[in-house]
Amino acid sequence: MNEPAPTVFTSTKWTVTLSTLGIAMLVLYRIGVHAKSVADIAWFLKLVVVQIVIYLGAAWLSLRSRDSRSLLVVGLIFAALFRLSIIFYPPYLSDDIYRYVWDGRVQAAGINPYRYIPADEQLAGLRDTKIYPNINRRDYAHTIYPPVAEGAFFLITRVSQSVTWMKVFMVVSEALAVWALLQLLASFGLGRQRVLIYAWHPLTVWEFAGSGHVDALAIAFIALALLARRKHGETLIGFWLACATCVKVFPAVLLPAVYLRRSWKMPLAFVATILITYLPYLSVGPVRVLGFLPGYASERGMVSGDQFYLLTVARRLLSAHVPTWAYLIFAVAVLGILSGWSMRDQLTGDISYIRNSLIIAAVFMLLIAPHFSWYFCWLTLFLCFIPSVPVFYLTLASFVLYFTWLADGPDRVLLLKSLIFAPFLLLGLIVSWLRKPAKQATA
């Protein structure tokens, strides 16, 4: 990876600059946490735009400065303060966390969380006035979360059945991810302050300390899998990646990127871990243990194809109903080609496996075009190693999806997703075009 030599900032100058940016960012978090309703979303997102500008300045400094322990400490202190400034407030951007607490409570009562919907009379004795009324889809949806997530919900609620404690756990998961990223950065000889690209990202702060999304735990497991890959720990790679997959399904697409050639232990550990984690919940049967996942796919437009940005654009341009199955075949083919390429493109001790993970993850996000911003959070950890301009844009632009609170008709959703994915594609083409002459010059 040919990067320009970092600009040499003195420690004092870097510290003062970063501290100034951190104070400004902290003030904005304290203001933003007072948003309460749909009516506030417009001014909240304007505030986020200012945070993005500040964040980009901090990210630029982290990339252009040499490694310094004191600067890293300052950055991490502010990252912690950002989270502490909002963690004790009720979630504003999502109510998913209430289901987490509920599922933990149900398991503590000795009931399989995949068996009943929250509104079922069998669970009437578990209802309260704080958690139950805030559960989304409580009248018709079984839980959607995979078994490692469910196990985490159970353990967390044994300490406290509160939203705040659940958010604290997610922030602790982030801390584990940051530790793993620091080990990786040091092993590649990269400045450890690059971890601030993740730790200062407004998306991760709002979605984890603010909303408490379980994606934080998946990110921690992904970071551990990347670290295990660096150390050639075949079994641990499969184990950690399987744990991430059993928190949120999407990390499974990284399997080809982190695969060690001719390794049988890694895929075996991956499959075995998934099977073992599902065993405690199989009393409901192999289909029902999937929970609301099939229903969610239908509800979100994955069956009709309405969720998929590229498919929607194709249907509009062709003025024809391109079948969803055709698009899914296309998507699988694209991911298959990328997977085959990444499995061949492996160099010992090289950072290429992280680059390939980023490419596969970003393309996957383009292909599925999720409706919610927090689905983009996992991309931020790869940016610490591969500072891709298109992916920076993708993660930051995902905030516009919150404008669906004001209107979520098909035309509105298409417009918002166009603001995310069209520039991402354009930037990707530009970056690829600019890199060709550089590769030819070094060949």
Side-chain angles (χ1 to χ4, degrees), residues 83 87 156 164-180 198 208-209 213 216-217 219-221 224:
R83 288 159 173 81
I87 198 170
I156 297 163
T164 298
W165 184 250
M166 188 67 69
K167 292 203 287 183
V168 168
F169 177 84
M170 298 310 165
V171 170
V172 170
S173 297
E174 284 194 280
L176 178 59
V178 166
W179 174 84
Y198 170 84
F208 299 148
H213 283 293
L217 182 58
I219 286 174
F221 288 139
L224 289 171

Side-chain angles (χ1 to χ4, degrees), residues 26-249:
L26 186 59
V27 170
L28 292 172
Y29 279 116
R30 292 298 299 160
I31 295 172
V33 80
H34 295 291
K36 298 296 182 185
S37 63
V38 172
D40 291 339
I41 195 65
W43 74 259
F44 173 83
L45 292 175
K46 291 176 183 177
L47 178 147
V48 168
V49 170
V50 181
Q51 287 188 314
I52 288 172
V53 173
I54 296 172
Y55 165 74
L56 289 174
W60 184 83
L61 284 173
S62 72
L63 291 169
R64 303 298 295 174
S65 302
R66 289 181 177 174
D67 189 51
S68 168
R69 181 179 177 83
S70 61
L71 302 177
L72 172 65
V73 170
V74 170
L76 290 179
I77 288 174
F78 272 107
L81 289 175
F82 299 158
R83 288 159 173 81
L84 286 173
S85 69
I86 64 177
I87 198 170
F88 298 106
Y89 286 79
Y92 171 56
L93 298 174
S94 169
D95 54 10
D96 286 357
I97 195 170
Y98 294 100
R99 172 74 79 150
Y100 304 169
V101 177
W102 176 260
D103 283 358
R105 179 183 297 172
V106 169
Q107 292 178 85
I111 302 171
N112 191 323
Y114 299 100
R115 188 174 298 279
Y116 303 112
I117 62 173
D120 196 293
E121 286 304 311
Q122 295 292 331
L123 304 181
L126 301 179
R127 296 173 192 167
D128 63 355
T129 58
K130 292 183 178 180
I131 301 301
Y132 178 76
N134 294 300
I135 301 172
N136 59 46
R137 304 180 180 87
R138 64 179 179 272
D139 297 326
Y140 65 91
H142 294 80
T143 190
I144 193 174
Y145 301 102
V148 171
E150 290 295 337
F153 301 157
F154 169 72
L155 293 176
I156 297 163
T157 52
R158 293 316 84 219
V159 179
S160 172
Q161 294 185 24
S162 69
V163 167
T164 298
W165 184 250
M166 188 67 69
K167 292 203 287 183
V168 168
F169 177 84
M170 298 310 165
V171 170
V172 170
S173 297
E174 284 194 280
L176 178 59
V178 166
W179 174 84
L181 293 176
L182 287 172
Q183 306 307 305
L184 267 174
L185 287 167
S187 74
F188 284 116
L190 298 172
R192 291 171 299 167
Q193 73 278 355
R194 283 181 172 225
V195 78
L196 302 183
I197 291 174
Y198 170 84
W200 277 46
H201 202 297
L203 187 65
T204 61
V205 178
W206 282 117
E207 299 298 358
F208 299 148
S211 297
H213 283 293
V214 74
D215 302 59
L217 182 58
I219 286 174
F221 288 139
I222 292 171
L224 289 171
L226 295 176
L227 182 59
R229 174 62 172 77
R230 176 65 169 157
K231 296 181 177 181
H232 300 281
E234 297 179 43
T235 302
L236 281 177
I237 299 170
F239 173 74
W240 291 125
L241 190 60
C243 287
T245 301
C246 289
V247 174
K248 300 283 284 193
V249 177

